[in-house]
Amino acid sequence: MSDYKLASRQYKNENTIVKVGNESIGAKELCLIAGPCAVESEEQLDEIAKGISELGIKFMRGGAYKPRTSPYDFQGLKKEGLQLLQKASLKYDLKIVTEVLDTSLIEEVYPYADVLQVGSRNMKNYQFLKELGKTDKPILLKRGMSSTVKEWLLAAEYILLGGNEKVILCERGIRTFDNSVRNTMDIAAIPLVKELSHLPIIADPSQGTGKRSLVKPLSLASIAAGADGLMIEVHHEPEEALSDGFQSLYLSQLEELVAEVKKQAQLSQRSLNLESKIPHII
Ligand code: PEP
Ligand code: MN
C-alpha cells in the first residue's frame, strides 16, 4: 500500500489551520462543536442552539440526513432539517457542521453547511471523497470505525489530491473486542496523527464512548492528548431524542464540560474559542 504524501508532516511541517468564515480550526484556540445528533424539530433545535450560543460556542452540529444502522430508525428530516439548521444558524450566529451522506447530496447540503461532515461509515467511499475534493468547503473526516490511522490519512489524501486542503480529522472511536462501551476511543491516535500529519484533529467522545457519563472524561483526555477541538452531542431532553439520546449531554452538563475543558486547555497552553455570556466560563 502506497503511503499518503500531501497529508504528511514531511510534505508540510507547519500545522494546517482550516478557516471556516471568520473562525479557525487547528489554531491555538480549541474549537468546540456541539449540538444534537439529529435535527428533530424547530423547537428542539432552537432550544439547543440557544443553550450552546449562551455558552459562547461558535459551531453547531446536527444531522439532517442520518446514517442509521437500522432502516427502521429515524433517518433525519432531510431538506427540512437543513432549513432548520440555517434558521438557527442565522438567529444565533452559529457555524453549521452537518453530514453529507453521499455524492448525490453534496449539491443539496452544500449551501447549508459551513463544514461538511463525512461519517465513519463513509470514510472508505473513495469516489465520494474524490467528489468532496473538488469542493471548496471544509470537510470533517471521521475515522472509519474499523480503520487504521494510515487508512484514515489515505482517505484524507483523496480529498487533498482533489485540491481541497480544508480537511479536519475527527477521532470517533473504533471497534474492538470490548463491547462494554459502544466504541473504544483511540486517544493514542490523537498525538500520533499530530506526529504524522499537519492536519487538524478533533475528538468526538459522544460517538467515541456511546455513554453520557464518559463524555467529559474523554473530552479532557482528548484535549490533554493534543486534540484541536471537540464535537459533543447535546440535547435539551436526551430521553426524548430520536437518535443517540443515551450519549447526549444535558445542556447543564455541557456547561460543566466547557468550564473543565477550559482549565484543561490552559494546562495544554491552549485557549477556547468562546464568547460566553456566562460569567464563570468567560
Ligand atoms: C454522528 O456524528 O452523529 C455520527 C453518525 O457519527 P459517526 O459517523 O462517527 O458514527
Ligand atoms: Mn450521533
Side-chain angles (χ1 to χ4, degrees):
M1 194 197 304
S2 302
D3 220 334
Y4 46 88
K5 297 185 179 74
L6 305 180
S8 73
R9 272 273 175 218
Q10 286 75 21
Y11 176 78
K12 180 169 178 254
N13 190 41
E14 72 276 17
N15 291 334
T16 288
I17 297 174
V18 174
K19 287 293 238 180
V20 186
N22 49 350
E23 309 297 341
S24 299
I25 302 181
K28 186 167 186 281
E29 286 192 319
L30 300 176
C31 128
L32 290 184
I33 304 167
C37 179
V39 179
E40 298 168 5
S41 68
E42 180 157 8
E43 300 67 42
Q44 175 242 21
L45 197 63
D46 190 81
E47 280 285 329
I48 298 170
K50 181 165 172 280
I52 67 177
S53 80
E54 278 172 6
L55 291 175
I57 292 174
K58 310 276 185 68
F59 291 86
M60 180 164 70
R61 60 153 290 142
Y65 285 91
K66 293 301 301 174
R68 303 305 300 278
T69 303
S70 167
Y72 300 109
D73 289 340
F74 177 59
Q75 305 286 308
L77 295 180
K78 309 187 173 76
K79 179 89 176 200
E80 188 196 342
L82 294 171
Q83 288 162 342
L84 294 177
L85 283 167
Q86 185 174 52
K87 197 165 173 191
S89 124
L90 292 171
K91 182 166 171 191
Y92 296 104
D93 191 20
L94 292 162
K95 298 267 186 280
I96 298 300
V97 182
T98 196
E99 180 162 357
V100 54
L101 281 186
D102 66 33
T103 303
S104 69
L105 290 168
I106 296 176
E107 202 176 314
E108 179 177 323
V109 176
Y110 183 94
Y112 297 95
D114 296 292
V115 176
L116 293 169
Q117 177 175 326
V118 177
S120 185
R121 292 156 188 80
N122 261 325
M123 192 211 85
K124 289 192 174 176
N125 188 342
Y126 300 119
Q127 191 55 36
F128 177 42
L129 299 177
K130 282 182 190 172
E131 292 299 324
L132 291 165
K134 293 182 199 161
T135 72
D136 59 359
K137 281 266 154 119
I139 309 290
L140 183 85
L141 180 65
K142 297 261 198 134
R143 178 175 180 183
M145 60 187 81
S146 304
S147 297
T148 65
V149 167
K150 183 171 176 183
E151 287 165 343
W152 187 18
L153 291 172
L154 282 167
E157 190 84 4
Y158 270 95
I159 302 171
L160 298 170
L161 260 179
N164 186 347
E165 292 169 1
K166 299 177 202 160
V167 179
I168 305 140
L169 300 165
C170 179
E171 166 60 41
R172 50 79 71 209
I174 51 173
R175 284 213 166 165
T176 67
F177 63 89
D178 189 353
N179 62 2
S180 49
V181 281
R182 186 181 188 187
N183 290 293
T184 296
M185 195 64 194
D186 186 4
I187 297 290
I190 297 169
L192 180 62
V193 163
K194 284 276 166 208
E195 278 179 28
L196 300 174
S197 176
H198 53 85
L199 294 171
I201 175 167
I202 69 165
D204 173 351
S206 304
Q207 325 303 321
T209 63
K211 196 165 159 54
R212 183 180 302 126
S213 63
L214 300 180
V215 170
K216 187 167 74 180
L218 273 297
S219 295
L220 297 173
S222 299
I223 298 303
D228 294 301
L230 298 169
M231 180 187 241
I232 306 287
E233 285 184 344
V234 60
H235 200 286
H236 68 308
E237 289 171 336
E239 337 22 58
E240 307 298 323
L242 297 180
S243 70
D244 288 355
F246 45 84
Q247 66 191 31
S248 300
L249 297 187
Y250 290 87
L251 282 163
S252 58
Q253 291 180 305
L254 182 66
E255 182 173 337
E256 281 167 39
L257 180 142
V258 169
E260 290 205 31
V261 166
K262 193 174 175 214
K263 288 187 229 154
Q264 184 60 53
Q266 281 158 1
L267 291 174
S268 310
Q269 276 82 51
R270 307 286 290 257
S271 53
L272 277 187
N273 182 4
L274 278 187
E275 268 170 45
S276 181
K277 300 173 188 87
I278 298 174
H280 70 276
I281 290 187
I282 294 174

